[in-house]
Amino acid sequence: MSQETLSNLSREDRRFEPPAAIAEHANLTAEAYDRAAADPEAFWAEQAERLSWDQRWDRVLDWDDPPFAQWFVGGRINAAYNCVDRHVEAGRGDKVAFHFVGEPLDDTRTITYAQLKDDVSQAANALTALGVEAGDRVAIYMPMIPEAVVTMLACARIGAPHTVVFGGFSSDALASRLEDCQAKVIVTADGGYRRGSASALKPAVDEARTKAEALGHTVEKVLVVRRTGQDVAWDDDVDVWWHESVATASTEHACEFFDAEHPLYVMYTSGTTGKPKGILHTTGGYLVGTSYTHWAVFDLKPDTDVYWCTADIGWVTGHSYIVYGPLANGATQVLYEGTPDSPERGRWWDIIEEYGVTIFYTAPTAIRSFMKQGREIPDKRDLSSLRILGSVGEPINPEAYVWYRSVIGGDRTPVVDTWWQTETGAIMISPLPGVTAGKPGSAMTAIPGVAADVVTDEGASVPDGSGGYLVLTQPWPSMLRTIWGDDERFKETYWSKYAAQGWYFAGDGAKKDTDGDLWVLGRVDDVMNVSGHRLSTTEIESALVSHPKVAEAAVVGAKDEDTGQAVVAFVILRDEAGDGGGDIVAELRKHVRTQIGPIATPRQIMIVAELPKTRSGKIMRRLLKDVAEHREIGDVTTLADSSVMELISAGVDSSPGED
Ligand code: WTA
């Protein structure tokens, strides 16, 4: 990034004070910020006391050999014991851990903590019987069913790091991960229910096993849950049914305690090169970070709250905020298998009404798709149980934030816009619902215990009103420990840019507004430079989405002879807007001009039916850039729907947008 700072052109004056009822009983109050800053290690030790340790640590942090951190050195702990057994031992065995809701109507299960303990113990015994020992890797490729959570906890219980691969990934993606982490066993299902039908998983596992074999890696066993009853190919030497092994195993399992730095899991995430990075998280610090943030940021009251995170367990959000954080806190959760529109639009709101969900955590992409469908659908349901709403995964546009708060939250609920990454393990930047006056579009400030800044290329902290790179300036317990098998790439990717300062480089652009609050603007490669002005794709997208006819927008910077880069926008209109009427493109260009300024006016706007997204809902701007720059379209293998790009490319040549 040059000396130029990110332009800070948009204005946001709306504020939402925390509701008195939440502020009065808040788990964490304003005093925590100063206390944590004064002595971060003491603050984190205090958070660690909320867990059960078999042996207490001797030292909170060993940062003698940066960037290789060790937290709670000498401590011994078992993650599954903390998530399950200790609640049962404390007399809360009858408390519901999960209200499981399958996608087919009336396919529900209620799982108490006592039941979960039996299930996890059986799975731990069955995995051990299959030859899995502490340190062995287990791959999990499953639908969103209770057995997926049970498997993760069973792995944690026996000290076998898991690697969950999202069930929507191809057999190639699965094979490369199996090979990279040398997985001994795969746990899967015949299939799961998605969009109203049974979708198979086992065939991809069979293929991936063959492909991994070709890469020189042999998977020894495949444990299969019968979920849909689909026909499956069967290899007697390798395949084992869950109902014949796990369900028949003993419910007694004495758990072993592991070193605080024992590996808990590897989660693959995409980087700037093609090869995915296996992010390694270890046990003690990760559990401290996830349980603390889940308690503080969502103000969890475990006796009365019903919490629902809509993420898939194939992503880090499912790991930290369905499995480890909430269960360590003894929360009662909803676990939903399917899609929001099956059997019809409004399914999510029906679930919130039926289970009285009080805390709801989802992604901006979902919120924008509900905005597109219109408020009539949620308005028909009683959502009055909700008290806190969360957002994660990408910047939430101010208009989407306000819609979320008012339509879903009935204008009562704080919205916590939580910034974090697979690498950070837990939430780093977020409002606190009982403390912070929310500002639409801003993730606000680092939470107590975390230190973040926005800095220039050279590492100078930028003044309020300017932008730069987001960094974390102190180690934190749930930080990634390395990239699996690649310490060099770990150092290079995250710690080399600010090696002199010892800061973590997040790869995101951010700005501080005039109040000093943080706005995360997206990955730094999403930052454009138009005529020497730095512009964020996110700011322009937010301006477009604030137009009443627009549902969703993606903006890229395309090479331009005159201006270096030019703004190119891809826009989805709301259903009720039809084809937009009149000269919609001119109308939107004018709208952006008045919202942000002439500099941000898109050179070209294309009205499209869909945007290319990864399966976790992130817009793949790289592909849109290819279209905008009239290049052949790059690798589309991580797209949720690969036909989307053909549609967009076909529309481009006939688009009236260019002028
Ligand atoms: C983006 C998901 C703005 C950011 C937990 C980050 C966000 C990347 C936010 C990590 C947010 C996540 N506001 N941007 N609240 N949350 N991001 O690893 O670019 O899938 O670097 O972790 O998502 O994505 P990941």
Side-chain angles (χ1 to χ4, degrees), residues 269 315-317 361 364 391-396 417-424 429 443 506-508 520-523 616 618:
T269 187
W315 308 112
V316 75
T317 306
Y361 194 25
S391 169
V392 62
E394 52 175 321
I396 179 166
D417 173 11
T418 63
W419 178 87
W420 59 294
Q421 307 176 298
T422 303
E423 292 87 342
T424 69
I429 301 174
D508 280 337
V520 180
L521 301 171
R523 306 297 302 172
S616 65
K618 286 197 167 52

Side-chain angles (χ1 to χ4, degrees), residues 27 50 87 92 95-96 113 294-295 298-307 326-333 358-359 387:
N27 286 347
R50 302 176 59 252
H87 306 309
R92 293 192 295 272
K95 188 178 197 302
V96 174
Y113 275 93
H294 181 254
W295 169 83
F298 297 106
D299 191 44
L300 180 79
K301 304 289 192 263
D303 292 338
T304 47
D305 275 321
V306 178
Y307 164 85
L327 292 177
N329 290 334
T332 292
Q333 306 189 61
T358 59
I359 306 172
R387 66 181 197 97

